[in-house]
mmCIF file of all heavy atoms in Angstrom:
data_model
loop_
_atom_site.group_PDB
_atom_site.id
_atom_site.type_symbol
_atom_site.label_atom_id
_atom_site.label_comp_id
_atom_site.label_asym_id
_atom_site.label_seq_id
_atom_site.Cartn_x
_atom_site.Cartn_y
_atom_site.Cartn_z
ATOM 1 N N PHE A 1578 5.124 -14.450 -14.753
ATOM 2 C CA PHE A 1578 3.728 -14.065 -14.891
ATOM 3 C C PHE A 1578 3.226 -14.183 -16.329
ATOM 4 O O PHE A 1578 2.089 -14.576 -16.567
ATOM 5 C CB PHE A 1578 3.493 -12.655 -14.351
ATOM 6 C CG PHE A 1578 3.417 -12.619 -12.865
ATOM 7 C CD1 PHE A 1578 4.460 -12.101 -12.115
ATOM 8 C CD2 PHE A 1578 2.311 -13.114 -12.202
ATOM 9 C CE1 PHE A 1578 4.397 -12.082 -10.737
ATOM 10 C CE2 PHE A 1578 2.242 -13.097 -10.827
ATOM 11 C CZ PHE A 1578 3.281 -12.579 -10.087
ATOM 12 N N ALA A 1579 4.043 -13.855 -17.314
ATOM 13 C CA ALA A 1579 3.578 -13.885 -18.701
ATOM 14 C C ALA A 1579 3.567 -15.300 -19.272
ATOM 15 O O ALA A 1579 2.648 -15.662 -20.004
ATOM 16 C CB ALA A 1579 4.445 -12.982 -19.563
ATOM 17 N N HIS A 1580 4.570 -16.110 -18.926
ATOM 18 C CA HIS A 1580 4.696 -17.405 -19.575
ATOM 19 C C HIS A 1580 4.259 -18.581 -18.711
ATOM 20 O O HIS A 1580 3.841 -19.601 -19.253
ATOM 21 C CB HIS A 1580 6.133 -17.605 -20.055
ATOM 22 C CG HIS A 1580 6.564 -16.562 -21.038
ATOM 23 N ND1 HIS A 1580 6.021 -16.454 -22.293
ATOM 24 C CD2 HIS A 1580 7.466 -15.555 -20.938
ATOM 25 C CE1 HIS A 1580 6.570 -15.447 -22.940
ATOM 26 N NE2 HIS A 1580 7.456 -14.865 -22.132
ATOM 27 N N VAL A 1581 4.360 -18.477 -17.405
ATOM 28 C CA VAL A 1581 3.960 -19.586 -16.535
ATOM 29 C C VAL A 1581 2.532 -19.393 -16.038
ATOM 30 O O VAL A 1581 1.686 -20.278 -16.169
ATOM 31 C CB VAL A 1581 4.938 -19.739 -15.344
ATOM 32 C CG1 VAL A 1581 4.478 -20.821 -14.396
ATOM 33 C CG2 VAL A 1581 6.337 -20.033 -15.850
ATOM 34 N N ALA A 1582 2.267 -18.216 -15.460
ATOM 35 C CA ALA A 1582 0.945 -17.972 -14.891
ATOM 36 C C ALA A 1582 -0.072 -17.517 -15.930
ATOM 37 O O ALA A 1582 -1.269 -17.557 -15.683
ATOM 38 C CB ALA A 1582 1.039 -16.930 -13.778
ATOM 39 N N GLY A 1583 0.388 -17.070 -17.081
ATOM 40 C CA GLY A 1583 -0.526 -16.635 -18.132
ATOM 41 C C GLY A 1583 -1.205 -15.311 -17.839
ATOM 42 O O GLY A 1583 -2.293 -15.051 -18.335
ATOM 43 N N VAL A 1584 -0.560 -14.456 -17.059
ATOM 44 C CA VAL A 1584 -1.116 -13.148 -16.718
ATOM 45 C C VAL A 1584 -0.488 -12.107 -17.640
ATOM 46 O O VAL A 1584 0.728 -12.088 -17.826
ATOM 47 C CB VAL A 1584 -0.832 -12.803 -15.239
ATOM 48 C CG1 VAL A 1584 -1.321 -11.416 -14.898
ATOM 49 C CG2 VAL A 1584 -1.449 -13.832 -14.329
ATOM 50 N N ALA A 1585 -1.298 -11.254 -18.195
ATOM 51 C CA ALA A 1585 -0.787 -10.220 -19.090
ATOM 52 C C ALA A 1585 -0.089 -9.129 -18.280
ATOM 53 O O ALA A 1585 -0.689 -8.511 -17.413
ATOM 54 C CB ALA A 1585 -1.925 -9.616 -19.898
ATOM 55 N N VAL A 1586 1.179 -8.909 -18.578
ATOM 56 C CA VAL A 1586 1.955 -7.856 -17.935
ATOM 57 C C VAL A 1586 1.924 -6.646 -18.867
ATOM 58 O O VAL A 1586 2.157 -6.790 -20.065
ATOM 59 C CB VAL A 1586 3.405 -8.324 -17.692
ATOM 60 C CG1 VAL A 1586 4.241 -7.213 -17.096
ATOM 61 C CG2 VAL A 1586 3.417 -9.541 -16.785
ATOM 62 N N PRO A 1587 1.620 -5.463 -18.347
ATOM 63 C CA PRO A 1587 1.525 -4.276 -19.229
ATOM 64 C C PRO A 1587 2.825 -4.010 -19.982
ATOM 65 O O PRO A 1587 3.895 -3.949 -19.388
ATOM 66 C CB PRO A 1587 1.223 -3.135 -18.250
ATOM 67 C CG PRO A 1587 0.645 -3.799 -17.051
ATOM 68 C CD PRO A 1587 1.264 -5.142 -16.963
ATOM 69 N N GLN A 1588 2.696 -3.888 -21.273
ATOM 70 C CA GLN A 1588 3.819 -3.590 -22.161
ATOM 71 C C GLN A 1588 3.762 -2.122 -22.554
ATOM 72 O O GLN A 1588 2.717 -1.499 -22.538
ATOM 73 C CB GLN A 1588 3.734 -4.446 -23.414
ATOM 74 C CG GLN A 1588 3.850 -5.928 -23.148
ATOM 75 C CD GLN A 1588 5.257 -6.344 -22.813
ATOM 76 O OE1 GLN A 1588 6.228 -5.821 -23.352
ATOM 77 N NE2 GLN A 1588 5.384 -7.289 -21.914
ATOM 78 N N GLY A 1589 4.899 -1.590 -22.923
ATOM 79 C CA GLY A 1589 4.967 -0.182 -23.310
ATOM 80 C C GLY A 1589 4.669 0.036 -24.784
ATOM 81 O O GLY A 1589 4.425 -0.901 -25.533
ATOM 82 N N ASN A 1590 4.714 1.285 -25.164
ATOM 83 C CA ASN A 1590 4.461 1.643 -26.552
ATOM 84 C C ASN A 1590 5.712 1.465 -27.421
ATOM 85 O O ASN A 1590 5.599 1.328 -28.630
ATOM 86 C CB ASN A 1590 4.008 3.096 -26.643
ATOM 87 C CG ASN A 1590 2.672 3.285 -25.970
ATOM 88 O OD1 ASN A 1590 1.875 2.376 -25.876
ATOM 89 N ND2 ASN A 1590 2.441 4.501 -25.484
ATOM 90 N N PHE A 1591 6.908 1.488 -26.823
ATOM 91 C CA PHE A 1591 8.136 1.505 -27.596
ATOM 92 C C PHE A 1591 8.775 0.128 -27.714
ATOM 93 O O PHE A 1591 9.202 -0.278 -28.792
ATOM 94 C CB PHE A 1591 9.132 2.486 -26.969
ATOM 95 C CG PHE A 1591 8.601 3.870 -26.850
ATOM 96 C CD1 PHE A 1591 8.404 4.464 -25.626
ATOM 97 C CD2 PHE A 1591 8.261 4.588 -27.990
ATOM 98 C CE1 PHE A 1591 7.909 5.740 -25.520
ATOM 99 C CE2 PHE A 1591 7.750 5.874 -27.896
ATOM 100 C CZ PHE A 1591 7.565 6.447 -26.658
ATOM 101 N N VAL A 1592 8.896 -0.608 -26.618
ATOM 102 C CA VAL A 1592 9.572 -1.897 -26.614
ATOM 103 C C VAL A 1592 8.616 -2.953 -26.071
ATOM 104 O O VAL A 1592 8.012 -2.779 -25.014
ATOM 105 C CB VAL A 1592 10.844 -1.849 -25.735
ATOM 106 C CG1 VAL A 1592 11.556 -3.183 -25.733
ATOM 107 C CG2 VAL A 1592 11.775 -0.759 -26.196
ATOM 108 N N ARG A 1593 8.495 -4.054 -26.792
ATOM 109 C CA ARG A 1593 7.630 -5.151 -26.360
ATOM 110 C C ARG A 1593 8.488 -6.369 -26.069
ATOM 111 O O ARG A 1593 9.397 -6.708 -26.839
ATOM 112 C CB ARG A 1593 6.612 -5.492 -27.450
ATOM 113 C CG ARG A 1593 5.689 -4.363 -27.749
ATOM 114 C CD ARG A 1593 4.297 -4.865 -27.631
ATOM 115 N NE ARG A 1593 3.371 -3.745 -27.812
ATOM 116 C CZ ARG A 1593 2.409 -3.496 -26.985
ATOM 117 N NH1 ARG A 1593 2.228 -4.267 -25.941
ATOM 118 N NH2 ARG A 1593 1.591 -2.504 -27.188
#
Side-chain angles (χ1 to χ4, degrees):
F1578 282 106
H1580 300 293
V1581 176
V1584 176
V1586 177
Q1588 297 286 324
N1590 294 333
F1591 303 116
V1592 180
R1593 297 233 175 230

